Amino acid sequence: MPALVHQSFSQTASGLACDGVSIESIVERAGTPLYIYSARAIRDAYRAIDEAFAAHPHAIHYGMKANSTLALVRLLRSIGSKVDANSRGEIDVALRAGYQPPDIVFTGVGKTREELEHAIGLGIGAINAESAGELDRIAALASAQGREARVALRVNPDIDAGSHPNISTGLRINKFGVPLQDARAIYRDRRGAAGLRFVGVHVHIGSQITTAEPLRTAARALAGLACELRDDGVALEHVDVGGGLGIPYEGRPMIGPTDYAAAVIPDLRRTGLPIVLEPGRSVIGQAGALIARVVDTKRFPDGRRFAVLDAGMAELIRPALYGSYHRIVPIRPRPQPDAAWDVVGPICESSDVFARDRMLPPLEVDDLVAVLDAGAYGSVMASNYNRHLLPAEALVDAGGWSIVRRRQTIDDLLALES
Ligand SMILES: Cc1ncc(COP(=O)(O)O)c(C=O)c1O
């Protein structure tokens, strides 16, 4: 009987497997470092959110910034998801994945003129504007095209999401949105403006939020604004609560989609409007693992043990960027007692560390390990630092697997250079 390690990952007689498919067998053909995703886990996570909000009209716009690998975006489209794009590049990936412009909401704190023109010309479902100035630029650009842009204003409610400062976005010290208290006047002053059609209100207070309270408070603030706008005669079509629901990286109990829905629906219901959700991490995070090989081990006189992997901050930057925790599981754990290991990457930076003093069974050169919960903000943030080539990505589905992004080659990399 396979022992469930985590979500789709179980220990079997042939080592760690993803939905029954041996990871060693994938690595044999695909090499390391390698991202592996479970299609089943993605579908399950999406459906859990969809079902939690079933009692209220809603649309899930998957936050592509978490992971925009084409095959995964296509998979989400096939099960009914729409998307939240944060750049021209993400819009173009969504279109290639088969989405229609009305399925896309476009967010982003620094949209360029060219990006706005493109979005307006396409007829994007909603452009979430980040400032009064941006609204005015959208109005001018849309008028010049003889079009009406569908817009929502992103508000900054000054709420502490309780997550890492680098991924909190809803405090007044953050660069995102407009102060909540200014929003009503911004809508009022632009009612009937040529080129603008107000379709929603938007908030996103941060990511990896692990308690219900900040999400409830933000939804309440947004609902209050939507009701004021209704009183002002602004006919909105939705309230967009952004993303932010966290995942249990450390395996501790935390809120899930049902608690989230229970926290936000009562206030949002008052608006009488459908809810737009932009979950990223909670859809894709737990479905992915980064598979790496141990390339060196060493022990210092103070007893500190290092395992150096062939993957580091170039492939998965979250630990170096946020000090974030990822569980690390050997593909074939040795039956000897655990000891404390520093699991590090090969990059020439001291911050290139996946884990310090992590209790793990003995590790040896050529062993494979899985860094769990790496589906979100993993491959999308990978870089070519130290001329690392972007890792391959594989999708496991229905007992089989396929490469959904081949490993970058040095020729791919140098094709851009003279
Ligand atoms: C505007 C917006 N929507 C949605 C998301 C997705 O957030 P998460 O992955 O935390 O669900 C983000 C990411 O921070 C975002 O900036």
Side-chain angles (χ1 to χ4, degrees):
M1 183 69 184
L4 186 66
V5 171
H6 177 56
Q7 292 271 327
S8 293
F9 296 90
S10 312
Q11 279 298 353
T12 67
S14 51
L16 193 71
C18 175
D19 290 333
V21 177
S22 143
I23 288 178
E24 279 178 356
S25 71
I26 303 178
V27 166
E28 234 165 72
R29 278 175 43 206
T32 57
L34 171 73
Y35 277 97
I36 293 183
Y37 307 102
S38 151
R40 184 178 68 80
I42 297 170
R43 290 191 195 99
D44 287 353
Y46 176 85
R47 289 199 183 114
I49 298 171
D50 201 25
E51 280 163 22
F53 281 85
H56 193 92
H58 67 277
I60 299 178
H61 286 251
Y62 166 64
M64 289 177 70
K65 64 190 294 195
N67 188 323
S68 57
T69 298
L70 190 59
L72 308 184
V73 180
R74 269 202 203 112
L75 169 67
L76 283 159
R77 189 176 74 85
S78 75
I79 54 174
S81 182
K82 299 178 175 192
V83 285
D84 161 41
N86 257 266
S87 66
R88 161 97 193 232
E90 288 187 0
I91 290 176
D92 289 348
V93 171
L95 296 175
R96 298 256 184 125
Y99 284 96
Q100 297 300 310
D103 300 330
I104 303 172
V105 297
F106 180 26
T107 316
V109 76
K111 304 179 201 75
T112 63
R113 180 179 307 271
E114 182 268 338
E115 285 182 311
L116 289 172
E117 272 170 352
H118 184 60
I120 294 164
L122 285 170
I124 289 288
I127 302 177
N128 290 330
E130 295 267 347
S131 71
E134 186 175 80
L135 275 178
D136 295 339
R137 284 192 294 281
I138 294 170
L141 293 169
S143 299
Q145 291 188 21
R147 288 175 178 269
E148 208 171 46
R150 295 169 54 81
V151 292
L153 185 61
R154 177 174 182 173
V155 296
N156 182 326
D158 194 19
I159 291 168
D160 185 356
S163 52
H164 189 279
N166 292 9
I167 49 172
S168 290
T169 56
L171 282 169
R172 67 171 183 275
I173 55 159
N174 300 132
K175 64 185 174 182
F176 300 95
V178 303
L180 179 64
Q181 62 272 25
D182 297 348
R184 189 176 186 179
I186 292 173
Y187 277 88
R188 203 171 39 213
D189 293 349
R190 288 163 184 77
R191 266 186 63 194
L196 288 186
R197 172 138 160 240
F198 284 116
V199 295
V201 281
H202 178 232
V203 75
H204 171 79
I205 58 165
S207 199
Q208 187 51 18
I209 299 171
T210 56
T211 58
E213 214 38 51
L215 294 161
R216 187 197 324 275
T217 314
R220 185 164 294 163
L222 195 70
L225 173 64
C227 291
E228 286 173 357
L229 294 173
R230 185 179 54 204
D231 296 344
D232 293 346
V234 183
L236 299 181
E237 297 175 18
H238 68 250
V239 281
D240 181 343
V241 290
L245 180 62
I247 58 170
Y249 285 101
E250 304 194 17
R252 291 199 205 105
M254 54 160 282
I255 56 161
T258 317
D259 313 285
Y260 176 34
V264 301
I265 288 180
D267 281 296
L268 297 175
R269 189 173 274 138
R270 290 192 289 125
T271 67
L273 295 169
I275 303 171
V276 167
L277 302 155
E278 300 172 355
R281 189 190 308 273
S282 53
V283 172
I284 204 87
Q286 295 181 281
L290 173 63
I291 313 301
R293 198 177 281 285
V294 177
V295 292
D296 196 12
T297 61
K298 56 187 163 187
R299 194 151 182 202
F300 282 3
D302 65 354
R304 192 168 283 277
R305 285 185 188 79
F306 290 92
V308 187
L309 306 182
D310 63 358
M313 64 191 291
E315 288 73 23
L316 176 68
I317 201 175
R318 297 188 69 256
L321 194 59
Y322 313 131
S324 55
Y325 183 98
H326 284 267
R327 276 174 276 182
I328 297 174
V329 181
I331 303 299
R332 281 193 191 266
R334 293 199 164 70
Q336 286 95 344
D338 287 0
W341 287 86
D342 284 8
V343 183
V344 303
I347 300 288
C348 302
E349 299 280 339
S350 302
S351 58
D352 185 26
V353 173
F354 282 161
R356 282 208 192 279
D357 292 325
R358 186 68 59 87
M359 295 305 288
L360 290 169
L363 291 170
E364 291 179 16
V365 169
D366 278 341
D367 284 359
L368 292 170
V369 298
V371 182
L372 299 180
D373 297 316
Y377 306 102
S379 76
V380 272
M381 287 191 175
S383 78
N384 292 121
Y385 189 36
N386 278 196
R387 291 291 192 178
H388 271 218
L389 301 169
L390 295 179
E393 297 180 41
L395 181 63
V396 172
D397 197 8
W401 66 275
S402 59
I403 291 284
V404 292
R405 190 172 83 182
R406 70 166 168 80
R407 186 176 308 286
Q408 195 178 34
T409 65
I410 192 70
D411 289 334
D412 293 333
L413 192 56
L414 292 178
L416 305 177
E417 300 182 26
S418 57

